[in-house]
């Protein structure tokens, strides 16, 4: 699943460690989400969206593959 976490994080000037601490996950989790290798739980997606002051849909592209 594609996302814009890395871009939003860069705008805020946060490191992956900073973001991980803010949403209470490991830096490895943030790395995996940014690379599209890990789909976050709904709770984590909500925390990220709230932190970036946007909707979950603005952070993640949920287009289904046919």
């Amino acid at each position: 699943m594609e996302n814009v976490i890395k871009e939003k994080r860069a705008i805020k000037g946060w490191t992956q460690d900073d973001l991980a601490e803010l949403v209470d996950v490991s830096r490895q989790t943030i790395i995996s989400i940014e690379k599209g290798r890990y789909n976050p739980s709904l709770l984590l997606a909500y925390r990220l969206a709230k932190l970036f002051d946007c909707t979950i849909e603005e952070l993640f592209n949920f287009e289904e593959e046919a």
Side-chain angles (χ1 to χ4, degrees):
M1 172 172 36
E2 294 180 6
N3 66 73
V4 294
I5 302 293
K6 186 175 183 176
E7 292 85 350
K8 295 263 190 194
R9 179 175 58 75
I11 290 168
K12 295 277 192 181
W14 294 335
T15 65
Q16 290 171 330
D17 279 324
D18 294 335
L19 181 56
E21 189 172 319
L22 288 166
V23 293
D24 197 28
V25 297
S26 69
R27 183 178 64 86
Q28 191 61 44
T29 297
I30 298 299
I31 291 168
S32 294
I33 291 171
E34 286 184 354
K35 291 185 176 185
R37 293 189 310 226
Y38 174 75
N39 293 332
S41 67
L42 182 56
L43 179 59
L44 180 52
Y46 175 79
R47 286 181 183 158
L48 289 164
K50 188 172 181 180
L51 192 61
F52 289 119
D53 193 30
C54 66
T55 66
I56 292 173
E57 291 84 0
E58 289 172 311
L59 284 182
F60 298 95
N61 181 358
F62 287 106
E63 287 185 18
E64 294 183 32
E65 295 180 19

